[in-house]
């Protein structure tokens, strides 16, 4: 990776210091599975006020959900997209990941040896874990549980399936980082590409809905009244070289920060944002829009806004709330925030380049920020 330098002034003194500015990475393609439908076009339609919205769960355990709005992925026939072979025991999490990666690789010539996967998740498939646990406790003998479900209990099952089905033999990583997992995945991808571990990476996040997970959200009381739960996947082809057909976006710096004291969460996010801006060579006043991640979470919503305000020196000129359209997608939220920006830029191409900031903050003390620029 080519490195240049820029100078910024410290807040305490007028003394200048050198900051390493990273070269951009390029998003060549995107694959999205969400409550809005498949692809960026469906997502743009939902964000611009179109498309039909449903608030009821789907699936075999739909009747077991708590009384809370749900933005589920509907009408998705896995066999239609992936064929019948090897799809009998796929859970929703793996299905979303495979379908989004199939879309992201369409029309791209892939060097399997130099292409890898970095995918964000929470704990893997909660529904699979819960089903096997239930069967183990309720069936006559533990060995009567369905063995076909066991591969899905491994947290990195989805990335493994993606690599096997698409012949990707490069870096294969699963990032479990809670709310900030998707942005941590982008940070991991940047590091891997800068070290020459791969020439191209499929980077994103995936999350599934299930009755056990919905009850966990409902009982904790973390989400505000009326906030919907969501699911889906957003995966992007990320590479250091500008694609021949043009990029969907430029990914600049992605920085993270862990803060152990909840009273300092806003300061932790402000640090991550400031660091990301410095390493991107972007001034706070150059940020045109901020995509917020914790918009439905009690307490964290105010923390995130305060951290952004401190880092930018005031309230942002515009904000984007993807979770209002897609629901709370937790570990996939950062990827969905990026997908939302790309969808809007594709539907309504900016006259001049737009610089955006994606933020995420979690109850575990992690905070992260990613700087993104629209195509030039």
């Amino acid at each position: 990776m080519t490195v240049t330098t820029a100078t910024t002034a410290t807040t305490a003194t007028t003394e200048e210091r050198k900051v390493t500015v990273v070269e951009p990475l390029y998003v060549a393609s995107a694959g999205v599975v969400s409550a809005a439908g498949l692809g960026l076009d469906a997502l743009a339609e939902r964000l611009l006020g179109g498309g039909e919205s449903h608030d009821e769960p789907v699936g075999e355990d739909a009747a077991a959900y708590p009384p809370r709005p749900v933005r589920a992925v509907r009408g998705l026939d896995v066999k239609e997209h992936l064929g019948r072979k090897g799809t009998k025991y796929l859970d929703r999490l793996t299905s979303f990941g495979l379908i989004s990666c199939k879309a992201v690789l369409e029309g791209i010539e892939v060097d399997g040896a130099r292409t890898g996967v970095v995918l964000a998740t929470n704990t893997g498939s909660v529904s699979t874990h819960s089903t096997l646990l239930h069967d183990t406790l309720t069936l006559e003998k533990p060995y009567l549980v369905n063995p076909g479900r066991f591969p899905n209990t491994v947290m990195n099952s989805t990335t493994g399936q993606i690599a096997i089905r698409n012949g990707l033999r490069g870096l294969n990583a699963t990032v479990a980082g809670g709310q900030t997992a998707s942005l941590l995945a982008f940070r991991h991808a940047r590091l891997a590409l800068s070290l020459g571990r791969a020439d191209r990476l499929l980077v994103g996040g995936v999350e599934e809905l299930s009755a056990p997970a919905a009850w966990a959200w409902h009982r904790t009381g973390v989400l505000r009244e009326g906030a919907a739960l969501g699911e889906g996947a957003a995966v992007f082809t990320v590479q250091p070289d500008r694609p021949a057909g043009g990029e969907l976006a430029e990914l600049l710096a992605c920085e993270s920060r862990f803060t152990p004291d909840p009273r300092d969460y806003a300061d932790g996010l402000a640090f991550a944002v400031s660091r990301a801006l410095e390493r991107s060579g972007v001034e706070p006043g150059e940020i045109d829009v901020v995509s917020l991640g914790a918009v439905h979470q009690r307490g964290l919503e105010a923390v995130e806004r305060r951290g952004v305000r401190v880092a930018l020196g005031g309230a942002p000129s515009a904000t984007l709330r993807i979770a209002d359209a897609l629901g709370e997608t937790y570990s996939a939220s950062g990827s969905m925030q990026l997908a939302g920006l790309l969808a809007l830029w594709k539907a309504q191409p900016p006259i001049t380049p737009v610089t955006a900031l994606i933020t995420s903050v979690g109850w575990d003390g992690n905070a992260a920020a990613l700087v993104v620029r629209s195509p030039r």
Side-chain angles (χ1 to χ4, degrees), residues 105-252:
L105 290 172
E106 285 182 358
I108 295 179
E109 186 176 344
V110 178
D111 177 4
R114 298 292 298 166
T115 303
V117 184
V118 182
L119 199 64
T121 184
N122 177 24
T123 56
S125 176
V126 174
S127 63
T128 300
H129 296 158
S130 302
T131 299
L132 283 174
L133 177 61
H134 180 270
D135 290 348
T136 300
L137 296 175
T138 59
L139 295 180
E140 292 184 8
K141 296 178 180 180
Y143 58 75
L144 293 178
V145 299
N146 189 339
R149 294 185 180 275
F150 271 100
N152 296 328
T153 62
V154 182
M155 189 174 64
N156 63 346
S157 172
T158 302
T159 57
Q161 287 274 2
I162 291 170
I164 292 170
R165 284 176 173 265
N166 295 286
L168 309 181
R169 304 185 300 279
L171 170 74
N172 192 279
T174 299
V175 180
Q179 187 78 31
T180 60
S182 284
L183 296 193
L184 296 180
F186 283 107
R187 178 168 168 76
H188 185 87
R190 171 172 282 284
L191 178 62
L193 289 169
S194 68
L195 294 175
R197 295 284 305 279
D199 295 332
R200 176 189 288 141
L201 290 172
L202 306 188
V203 190
V206 59
E207 192 70 86
E208 68 171 6
L209 274 172
S210 65
W215 274 108
W217 280 108
H218 188 66
R219 288 297 189 187
T220 58
V222 170
L223 299 181
R224 60 177 174 78
E225 190 78 20
L229 299 174
E231 64 177 352
V235 180
F236 311 90
T237 306
V238 178
Q239 57 192 57
D241 301 319
R242 177 174 270 117
E247 71 275 11
L248 294 177
E250 294 180 8
L251 302 184
L252 304 182

Side-chain angles (χ1 to χ4, degrees), residues 30-42:
V32 181
V33 177
S34 71
L38 301 183
L40 293 177
D41 293 340

